[in-house]
Amino acid sequence: MAWQIGALHSLVYTEIGRRTAIGEEPDTIAAAVLGILEAAEELLGGHILTYAVRKDPQCSE
């Protein structure tokens, strides 16, 4: 789990740095990174994506 999160983090920051270095506009960079995140979401699947979702406790009156 940690490796997958770390790899995705590294991929996103590398892509941002690479595109910034060649002078792309922020909107173009954001669109490209969103594409990466959407692809990763499909690959990771529901089990990984819901692994650490916090459940808010019910409020008692």
Side-chain angles (χ1 to χ4, degrees), residues 21-47:
I22 62 174
E24 286 191 13
E25 294 294 321
D27 288 342
T28 305
I29 296 170
V33 170
L34 183 59
I36 291 170
L37 293 174
E38 288 173 345
E41 181 180 16
E42 290 179 23
L43 293 172
L44 292 176
H47 180 71

mmCIF file of all heavy atoms in Angstrom, residues 21-47:
data_model
loop_
_atom_site.group_PDB
_atom_site.id
_atom_site.type_symbol
_atom_site.label_atom_id
_atom_site.label_comp_id
_atom_site.label_asym_id
_atom_site.label_seq_id
_atom_site.Cartn_x
_atom_site.Cartn_y
_atom_site.Cartn_z
ATOM 1 N N ALA A 21 9.783 22.559 -16.211
ATOM 2 C CA ALA A 21 11.109 22.845 -16.768
ATOM 3 C C ALA A 21 11.060 23.171 -18.253
ATOM 4 O O ALA A 21 11.874 23.961 -18.744
ATOM 5 C CB ALA A 21 12.048 21.661 -16.526
ATOM 6 N N ILE A 22 10.110 22.589 -18.984
ATOM 7 C CA ILE A 22 10.034 22.892 -20.416
ATOM 8 C C ILE A 22 9.098 24.064 -20.697
ATOM 9 O O ILE A 22 8.871 24.421 -21.855
ATOM 10 C CB ILE A 22 9.634 21.654 -21.249
ATOM 11 C CG1 ILE A 22 8.254 21.129 -20.878
ATOM 12 C CG2 ILE A 22 10.690 20.571 -21.134
ATOM 13 C CD1 ILE A 22 7.758 19.990 -21.773
ATOM 14 N N GLY A 23 8.553 24.656 -19.647
ATOM 15 C CA GLY A 23 7.794 25.890 -19.799
ATOM 16 C C GLY A 23 6.321 25.755 -20.108
ATOM 17 O O GLY A 23 5.722 26.692 -20.634
ATOM 18 N N GLU A 24 5.733 24.628 -19.788
ATOM 19 C CA GLU A 24 4.294 24.480 -20.040
ATOM 20 C C GLU A 24 3.481 25.349 -19.076
ATOM 21 O O GLU A 24 3.919 25.663 -17.980
ATOM 22 C CB GLU A 24 3.872 23.014 -19.896
ATOM 23 C CG GLU A 24 4.313 22.158 -21.047
ATOM 24 C CD GLU A 24 3.673 20.784 -21.039
ATOM 25 O OE1 GLU A 24 2.704 20.559 -20.294
ATOM 26 O OE2 GLU A 24 4.155 19.932 -21.795
ATOM 27 N N GLU A 25 2.305 25.703 -19.517
ATOM 28 C CA GLU A 25 1.402 26.528 -18.714
ATOM 29 C C GLU A 25 0.817 25.691 -17.568
ATOM 30 O O GLU A 25 0.593 24.490 -17.720
ATOM 31 C CB GLU A 25 0.254 27.059 -19.585
ATOM 32 C CG GLU A 25 0.705 28.026 -20.654
ATOM 33 C CD GLU A 25 1.253 29.316 -20.071
ATOM 34 O OE1 GLU A 25 0.687 29.809 -19.086
ATOM 35 O OE2 GLU A 25 2.248 29.819 -20.609
ATOM 36 N N PRO A 26 0.537 26.337 -16.425
ATOM 37 C CA PRO A 26 -0.015 25.618 -15.271
ATOM 38 C C PRO A 26 -1.306 24.844 -15.584
ATOM 39 O O PRO A 26 -1.483 23.728 -15.091
ATOM 40 C CB PRO A 26 -0.267 26.721 -14.247
ATOM 41 C CG PRO A 26 0.763 27.760 -14.568
ATOM 42 C CD PRO A 26 0.863 27.732 -16.071
ATOM 43 N N ASP A 27 -2.179 25.399 -16.410
ATOM 44 C CA ASP A 27 -3.421 24.693 -16.743
ATOM 45 C C ASP A 27 -3.143 23.406 -17.524
ATOM 46 O O ASP A 27 -3.812 22.388 -17.320
ATOM 47 C CB ASP A 27 -4.361 25.591 -17.544
ATOM 48 C CG ASP A 27 -4.984 26.693 -16.707
ATOM 49 O OD1 ASP A 27 -4.969 26.583 -15.464
ATOM 50 O OD2 ASP A 27 -5.486 27.668 -17.303
ATOM 51 N N THR A 28 -2.162 23.441 -18.388
ATOM 52 C CA THR A 28 -1.788 22.263 -19.170
ATOM 53 C C THR A 28 -1.178 21.202 -18.256
ATOM 54 O O THR A 28 -1.470 20.010 -18.381
ATOM 55 C CB THR A 28 -0.787 22.645 -20.273
ATOM 56 O OG1 THR A 28 -1.346 23.680 -21.069
ATOM 57 C CG2 THR A 28 -0.442 21.454 -21.148
ATOM 58 N N ILE A 29 -0.343 21.641 -17.332
ATOM 59 C CA ILE A 29 0.279 20.723 -16.371
ATOM 60 C C ILE A 29 -0.795 20.084 -15.499
ATOM 61 O O ILE A 29 -0.795 18.868 -15.277
ATOM 62 C CB ILE A 29 1.324 21.458 -15.507
ATOM 63 C CG1 ILE A 29 2.481 21.959 -16.385
ATOM 64 C CG2 ILE A 29 1.844 20.547 -14.398
ATOM 65 C CD1 ILE A 29 3.436 22.895 -15.678
ATOM 66 N N ALA A 30 -1.725 20.893 -15.016
ATOM 67 C CA ALA A 30 -2.787 20.377 -14.154
ATOM 68 C C ALA A 30 -3.631 19.336 -14.891
ATOM 69 O O ALA A 30 -3.988 18.300 -14.326
ATOM 70 C CB ALA A 30 -3.665 21.522 -13.658
ATOM 71 N N ALA A 31 -3.930 19.576 -16.152
ATOM 72 C CA ALA A 31 -4.714 18.625 -16.940
ATOM 73 C C ALA A 31 -3.959 17.306 -17.113
ATOM 74 O O ALA A 31 -4.549 16.224 -17.019
ATOM 75 C CB ALA A 31 -5.067 19.226 -18.300
ATOM 76 N N ALA A 32 -2.669 17.392 -17.357
ATOM 77 C CA ALA A 32 -1.864 16.179 -17.527
ATOM 78 C C ALA A 32 -1.793 15.377 -16.227
ATOM 79 O O ALA A 32 -1.919 14.145 -16.243
ATOM 80 C CB ALA A 32 -0.455 16.553 -17.994
ATOM 81 N N VAL A 33 -1.608 16.062 -15.125
ATOM 82 C CA VAL A 33 -1.532 15.378 -13.832
ATOM 83 C C VAL A 33 -2.887 14.771 -13.473
ATOM 84 O O VAL A 33 -2.952 13.661 -12.940
ATOM 85 C CB VAL A 33 -1.020 16.341 -12.732
ATOM 86 C CG1 VAL A 33 -1.167 15.730 -11.348
ATOM 87 C CG2 VAL A 33 0.435 16.695 -13.000
ATOM 88 N N LEU A 34 -3.952 15.455 -13.788
ATOM 89 C CA LEU A 34 -5.279 14.894 -13.555
ATOM 90 C C LEU A 34 -5.465 13.608 -14.350
ATOM 91 O O LEU A 34 -6.030 12.637 -13.848
ATOM 92 C CB LEU A 34 -6.362 15.910 -13.910
ATOM 93 C CG LEU A 34 -7.801 15.472 -13.652
ATOM 94 C CD1 LEU A 34 -8.013 15.140 -12.188
ATOM 95 C CD2 LEU A 34 -8.758 16.568 -14.088
ATOM 96 N N GLY A 35 -4.957 13.584 -15.558
ATOM 97 C CA GLY A 35 -5.014 12.365 -16.367
ATOM 98 C C GLY A 35 -4.257 11.219 -15.711
ATOM 99 O O GLY A 35 -4.724 10.072 -15.709
ATOM 100 N N ILE A 36 -3.098 11.518 -15.141
ATOM 101 C CA ILE A 36 -2.320 10.504 -14.428
ATOM 102 C C ILE A 36 -3.104 9.982 -13.230
ATOM 103 O O ILE A 36 -3.182 8.769 -12.990
ATOM 104 C CB ILE A 36 -0.958 11.079 -13.972
ATOM 105 C CG1 ILE A 36 -0.056 11.328 -15.172
ATOM 106 C CG2 ILE A 36 -0.275 10.140 -12.973
ATOM 107 C CD1 ILE A 36 1.203 12.107 -14.838
ATOM 108 N N LEU A 37 -3.696 10.889 -12.468
ATOM 109 C CA LEU A 37 -4.453 10.480 -11.283
ATOM 110 C C LEU A 37 -5.684 9.657 -11.640
ATOM 111 O O LEU A 37 -6.022 8.695 -10.946
ATOM 112 C CB LEU A 37 -4.841 11.711 -10.460
ATOM 113 C CG LEU A 37 -3.678 12.452 -9.813
ATOM 114 C CD1 LEU A 37 -4.173 13.739 -9.156
ATOM 115 C CD2 LEU A 37 -2.967 11.571 -8.806
ATOM 116 N N GLU A 38 -6.342 10.014 -12.731
ATOM 117 C CA GLU A 38 -7.511 9.243 -13.161
ATOM 118 C C GLU A 38 -7.104 7.837 -13.602
ATOM 119 O O GLU A 38 -7.787 6.862 -13.286
ATOM 120 C CB GLU A 38 -8.248 9.977 -14.279
ATOM 121 C CG GLU A 38 -8.985 11.195 -13.778
ATOM 122 C CD GLU A 38 -9.597 12.031 -14.890
ATOM 123 O OE1 GLU A 38 -9.240 11.845 -16.078
ATOM 124 O OE2 GLU A 38 -10.432 12.893 -14.569
ATOM 125 N N ALA A 39 -5.978 7.726 -14.306
ATOM 126 C CA ALA A 39 -5.494 6.408 -14.716
ATOM 127 C C ALA A 39 -5.114 5.574 -13.497
ATOM 128 O O ALA A 39 -5.414 4.382 -13.424
ATOM 129 C CB ALA A 39 -4.300 6.560 -15.657
ATOM 130 N N ALA A 40 -4.475 6.212 -12.522
ATOM 131 C CA ALA A 40 -4.085 5.503 -11.306
ATOM 132 C C ALA A 40 -5.313 5.028 -10.530
ATOM 133 O O ALA A 40 -5.311 3.926 -9.977
ATOM 134 C CB ALA A 40 -3.222 6.400 -10.428
ATOM 135 N N GLU A 41 -6.349 5.838 -10.519
ATOM 136 C CA GLU A 41 -7.579 5.458 -9.825
ATOM 137 C C GLU A 41 -8.159 4.177 -10.422
ATOM 138 O O GLU A 41 -8.594 3.279 -9.703
ATOM 139 C CB GLU A 41 -8.594 6.590 -9.909
ATOM 140 C CG GLU A 41 -9.893 6.297 -9.199
ATOM 141 C CD GLU A 41 -10.884 7.440 -9.296
ATOM 142 O OE1 GLU A 41 -10.724 8.331 -10.144
ATOM 143 O OE2 GLU A 41 -11.833 7.431 -8.500
ATOM 144 N N GLU A 42 -8.135 4.067 -11.737
ATOM 145 C CA GLU A 42 -8.643 2.866 -12.403
ATOM 146 C C GLU A 42 -7.781 1.649 -12.085
ATOM 147 O O GLU A 42 -8.287 0.551 -11.891
ATOM 148 C CB GLU A 42 -8.697 3.080 -13.906
ATOM 149 C CG GLU A 42 -9.765 4.051 -14.356
ATOM 150 C CD GLU A 42 -9.762 4.256 -15.862
ATOM 151 O OE1 GLU A 42 -9.270 3.358 -16.583
ATOM 152 O OE2 GLU A 42 -10.256 5.302 -16.300
ATOM 153 N N LEU A 43 -6.472 1.844 -12.014
ATOM 154 C CA LEU A 43 -5.560 0.736 -11.772
ATOM 155 C C LEU A 43 -5.578 0.247 -10.324
ATOM 156 O O LEU A 43 -5.427 -0.943 -10.064
ATOM 157 C CB LEU A 43 -4.127 1.130 -12.152
ATOM 158 C CG LEU A 43 -3.880 1.370 -13.630
ATOM 159 C CD1 LEU A 43 -2.482 1.934 -13.839
ATOM 160 C CD2 LEU A 43 -4.061 0.093 -14.416
ATOM 161 N N LEU A 44 -5.740 1.168 -9.394
ATOM 162 C CA LEU A 44 -5.664 0.796 -7.981
ATOM 163 C C LEU A 44 -6.872 0.000 -7.515
ATOM 164 O O LEU A 44 -6.756 -0.898 -6.696
ATOM 165 C CB LEU A 44 -5.495 2.044 -7.104
ATOM 166 C CG LEU A 44 -4.156 2.758 -7.245
ATOM 167 C CD1 LEU A 44 -4.148 4.021 -6.400
ATOM 168 C CD2 LEU A 44 -3.007 1.855 -6.844
ATOM 169 N N GLY A 45 -8.039 0.339 -8.000
ATOM 170 C CA GLY A 45 -9.230 -0.415 -7.627
ATOM 171 C C GLY A 45 -9.834 0.033 -6.305
ATOM 172 O O GLY A 45 -9.228 0.751 -5.516
ATOM 173 N N GLY A 46 -11.038 -0.441 -6.061
ATOM 174 C CA GLY A 46 -11.816 -0.028 -4.902
ATOM 175 C C GLY A 46 -11.207 -0.399 -3.566
ATOM 176 O O GLY A 46 -11.290 0.359 -2.606
ATOM 177 N N HIS A 47 -10.583 -1.571 -3.469
ATOM 178 C CA HIS A 47 -10.015 -2.001 -2.187
ATOM 179 C C HIS A 47 -8.936 -1.039 -1.707
ATOM 180 O O HIS A 47 -8.911 -0.647 -0.546
ATOM 181 C CB HIS A 47 -9.454 -3.413 -2.313
ATOM 182 C CG HIS A 47 -8.857 -3.925 -1.051
ATOM 183 N ND1 HIS A 47 -9.625 -4.272 0.038
ATOM 184 C CD2 HIS A 47 -7.574 -4.117 -0.684
ATOM 185 C CE1 HIS A 47 -8.821 -4.673 1.010
ATOM 186 N NE2 HIS A 47 -7.577 -4.577 0.593
#
